Amino acid sequence: MEKIAVMGTGSWGTALAILLAKKGHHVTLWCYLESEKEQLESVRENLNYLPGVPIPQNIIITNDYKEAIVNNEIIVIAIPSKFLRSNMEQFSPYLTPRHLVVNVSKGLENHTLLRMSQVIEETAPQCPVAVLMGPSHAEEVARDIPTACVSSSRSQKIAERVQDLFMTPTFRVYTNPDLIGVELGGAIKNVIALAAGVVDGLGYGDNTKAALMTRGMVEITRLGLAMGADIQTFNGLTGIGDLIVTCTSMHSRNRRAGILIGKGKSLDEALNEVQMVVEGVHSAKAVYELSRKYNVEMPIIREINQVLFEGKSPREAVMDLMMREKRPEHQTEEIHLAHKVSWKDE
């Protein structure tokens, strides 16, 4: 059995710590605040983010990140994207080449436009890095509801190690060499889910949601191909799979925030009501800047940015999308960009 530290006690970090502990791994769960540590130890339940799910007694809880890192070999990063770099800079002096860093947070860094694995590689270049992504609400994983995810890394052996680490009868893990596509799908679907929530908040129907999700997937794929991803990734769990679950479920904090905005709440009011990190808000500007950098047309991304940050009316945004210049559904140049990604170390 492996010695694992899960860094972060949000719903996803807590759920994965529980999954790994149930599998028999030696698990340490790191939290930022001493007060949070005391609460988790006393009630053995994450009342703020995962109420009703007991935390096994064999999980060690600490707020000492040095202790968590030095005493373990696999470091699972479950920290919101906007805090990743600052935390990794603190962790890095204690990380060595024997550590494997597994990122499970979805997002992009705003000022650099980097994916999360790239931020980790910059701040802790001494460590191998992998990611675990896919359609996986913490509330369901913690309750052993069957789920499937994807492990990705530059190294096939590392991706397979992560696959073995997390695989259980209720948590199936596939591998995929397309690190770019896996991470982009996980990050951008949050922004599309915000837009899907806005559509729901406006009171539009299934037709509208289907159109938004389908064209949202086209935009994700366009950018992914321009950045070197494999088109097949976007047809898989970290593409269409993650998009479906995030755009349709009330577990999705991105969709819930979008619903509130569609009903007339301001961005700040929506975030205050959700009371959890809404990754789509933090990634929206970065995705838009990437679309400009790679000269990729992403009208849904453009409109949701205007709604979030420029005060545009959601109804006006939908109308502008509907009344864009007519065109065919498929573009030949997008197909020509398609290529296959394979492992680099085999």
Side-chain angles (χ1 to χ4, degrees):
M1 292 292 104
E2 302 274 12
K3 297 179 70 177
I4 306 163
V6 178
M7 314 299 282
T9 50
S11 57
W12 192 216
T14 304
L16 289 178
I18 292 169
L19 179 150
L20 292 165
K22 284 180 178 178
K23 191 174 178 182
H25 294 300
H26 181 281
V27 178
T28 298
L29 182 59
W30 173 78
C31 53
Y32 182 72
L33 298 173
E34 172 72 23
S35 58
E36 186 179 12
K37 171 184 178 289
E38 292 173 355
Q39 182 197 61
L40 292 173
E41 284 185 326
S42 63
V43 301
R44 304 303 296 189
E45 186 178 322
N46 193 329
L47 298 175
N48 292 327
Y49 297 113
L50 210 58
V53 180
I55 296 175
Q57 292 294 328
N58 61 332
I59 293 180
I60 298 169
I61 300 170
T62 182
N63 69 317
D64 184 337
Y65 60 82
K66 178 182 177 181
E67 173 190 324
I69 293 169
V70 170
N71 293 335
N72 294 282
E73 295 179 352
I74 295 173
I75 311 299
V76 177
I77 304 295
I79 294 168
S81 61
K82 69 175 181 177
F83 303 122
L84 180 65
R85 183 176 292 273
S86 59
N87 277 274
M88 285 302 303
E89 287 171 348
Q90 290 182 303
F91 300 162
S92 184
Y94 306 101
L95 291 166
T96 70
R98 75 176 176 86
H99 287 103
L100 167 59
V101 179
V102 183
N103 178 62
V104 300
S105 299
K106 300 169 182 177
L108 296 166
E109 190 173 47
N110 258 323
H111 60 287
T112 65
L113 310 184
L114 294 178
R115 307 185 318 275
M116 296 295 93
S117 70
Q118 293 175 303
V119 175
I120 294 170
E121 288 170 342
E122 278 196 355
T123 52
Q126 67 272 33
C127 298
V129 179
V131 303
L132 182 74
M133 303 280 154
S136 48
H137 288 309
E139 296 86 351
E140 297 185 6
V141 171
R143 291 175 170 84
D144 295 319
I145 293 174
T147 301
C149 281
V150 173
S151 164
S152 185
S153 173
R154 299 183 190 278
S155 163
Q156 182 176 359
K157 290 179 180 178
I158 289 174
E160 289 175 350
R161 184 181 178 192
V162 173
Q163 181 182 41
D164 292 338
L165 182 74
F166 285 92
M167 189 92 126
T168 77
T170 58
F171 196 80
R172 182 169 178 80
V173 182
Y174 294 85
T175 61
N176 186 334
D178 181 18
L179 189 57
I180 295 173
V182 166
E183 289 188 276
L184 284 180
I188 305 175
K189 60 88 186 181
N190 285 329
V191 189
I192 301 299
L194 271 169
V198 170
V199 162
D200 288 332
L202 288 169
Y204 294 148
D206 295 338
N207 295 352
T208 317
K209 177 77 76 68
L212 180 90
M213 290 172 64
T214 304
R215 297 309 300 177
M217 194 71 249
V218 170
E219 293 189 19
I220 294 171
T221 304
R222 278 183 192 150
L223 182 60
L225 293 178
M227 293 178 65
D230 187 332
I231 193 170
Q232 293 191 67
T233 299
F234 303 110
N235 294 324
L237 288 165
T238 59
I240 191 65
D242 213 350
L243 184 71
I244 289 170
V245 79
T246 313
C247 288
T248 61
S249 173
M250 283 305 289
H251 287 314
S252 167
R253 60 194 73 171
N254 293 282
R255 181 185 174 220
R256 295 205 309 271
I259 290 171
L260 294 170
I261 292 167
K263 288 182 175 179
K265 301 265 187 179
S266 69
L267 175 59
D268 287 342
E269 288 171 335
L271 295 179
N272 287 335
E273 188 164 332
V274 173
Q275 291 189 328
M276 299 175 80
V277 174
V278 180
E279 283 287 6
V281 172
H282 301 298
S283 296
K285 288 182 180 178
V287 177
Y288 180 61
E289 290 304 317
L290 282 172
S291 74
R292 296 179 64 189
K293 178 179 178 180
Y294 288 92
N295 195 27
V296 173
E297 187 180 9
M298 301 182 77
I300 296 172
I301 295 298
R302 182 188 66 243
E303 294 295 333
I304 194 63
N305 268 274
Q306 291 179 356
V307 169
L308 292 174
F309 308 117
E310 299 176 23
K312 187 170 186 176
S313 158
R315 289 189 185 276
E316 183 183 354
V318 173
M319 184 58 63
D320 286 347
L321 284 170
M322 293 296 291
M323 295 304 295
R324 291 170 60 237
E325 183 180 355
K326 64 182 183 179
R327 57 182 296 176
E329 183 179 19
H330 301 296
Q331 288 185 292
T332 305
E333 62 267 24
E334 293 171 0
I335 298 171
H336 288 166
L337 282 169
H339 64 284
K340 184 169 179 59
V341 175
S342 58
W343 303 106
K344 298 295 190 293
D345 65 342
E346 297 299 321

